[in-house]
């Protein structure tokens, strides 16, 4: 995507834009599962049990030392993990962004004008609004974190890196893994430790990768949003609806024209 294409996709007005009314349409098959069950259909119990729940692993200090050593031996870059004397460790995680809605930046700085009433800055209404834009699909960001860093802190750090002012509660961190040509996604709890998951899974991205996505619509607590944010969600929803209507009308009009053209080929009955 070029810079021009990127900015052509931006919205003209916005409050925060974390709401997602559409499902994420991807070519890969995503299967969601929890620690207790798997929603894979027509598969034997044995295959379900092969899904590894890294959260259940509890490692001693010596086991952590061994894991860190094995992890660093497999790393092909300089993104090593460093073990501290107290048994904690630091390292890098890579997070892939899969956002389908625009994100919001802070409004531009307002300069005071001497012509303002009583010497007070007169802010233009448009400048009070936040600026929204789409992050390029599959944006990737590396973070250096510690073994005590929680998933919610990772989300907050990622948004801060891009100066995104949306509410962090609108986003979730997902664990993604690939097995037997199937893709599995698991939503991380706020208090889970991503670096521990990375250590247990090893550096192979197919074994485990981290993805930032919007929360599903049904999981959103609408009462937590401000009035301007809710207004913006309604504008986005209306635009989506209008776009879908145009697509459907265009599709049926095209089909109708093809049928009329086919009828002309039969000629007039004698």
């Amino acid at each position: 995507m070029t810079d021009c294409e990127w900015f052509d996709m931006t919205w003209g007005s916005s409050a925060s834009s974390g709401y997602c009314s559409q499902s994420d349409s991807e070519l890969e098959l995503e299967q969601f599962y929890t620690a207790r069950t798997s929603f894979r259909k027509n598969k034997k119990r044995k295959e379900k049990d092969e899904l590894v729940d890294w959260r259940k692993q509890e490692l001693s200090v010596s086991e952590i030392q061994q894991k860190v050593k094995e992890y660093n031996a497999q790393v092909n870059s300089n993104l090593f993990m460093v073990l501290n004397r107290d048994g904690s460790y630091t390292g890098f995680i890579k997070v892939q962004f899969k956002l389908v809605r625009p994100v919001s930046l802070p409004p531009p700085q307002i300069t005071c004008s001497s012509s303002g009433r009583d010497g007070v800055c007169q802010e233009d209404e448009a400048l009070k609004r936040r600026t929204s834009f789409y992050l390029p699909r599959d944006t990737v960001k590396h973070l250096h974190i510690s073994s005590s860093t929680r998933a919610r802190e990772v989300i907050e750090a990622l948004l801060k890196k891009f100066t995104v002012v949306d509410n962090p509660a609108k986003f979730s961190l997902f664990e993604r893994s690939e097995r037997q040509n199937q893709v599995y996604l698991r939503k991380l709890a706020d208090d889970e430790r991503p670096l521990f998951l990375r250590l247990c899974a090893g550096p192979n991205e197919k074994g485990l990768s981290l993805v930032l996505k919007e929360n599903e619509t049904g999981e959103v607590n609408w009462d937590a949003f401000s009035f301007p944010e809710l207004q913006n969600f309604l504008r986005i929803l209306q635009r989506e609806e209008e776009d879908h209507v145009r697509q459907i009308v265009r599709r049926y009009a095209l089909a109708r024209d093809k049928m009329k053209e086919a009828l002309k080929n039969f000629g007039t009955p004698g």
Side-chain angles (χ1 to χ4, degrees), residues 162-193:
F162 288 94
T163 65
V164 173
V165 295
D166 293 282
N167 189 337
K170 301 174 186 176
F171 306 92
S172 289
L173 202 59
F174 286 81
E175 169 194 285
R176 181 184 184 277
S177 58
E178 297 181 24
R179 286 178 177 272
Q180 300 175 349
N181 296 323
Q182 301 279 349
V183 176
Y184 301 90
L185 283 178
R186 181 181 67 83
K187 181 179 176 180
L188 270 61
D190 286 349
D191 61 349
E192 286 191 63
R193 297 169 295 157

Side-chain angles (χ1 to χ4, degrees), residues 131-143:
T131 302
S132 286
F133 71 98
Y134 284 90
L135 280 175
R137 184 70 169 175
D138 294 333
T139 296
V140 172
K141 187 68 179 179
H142 286 85
L143 283 181

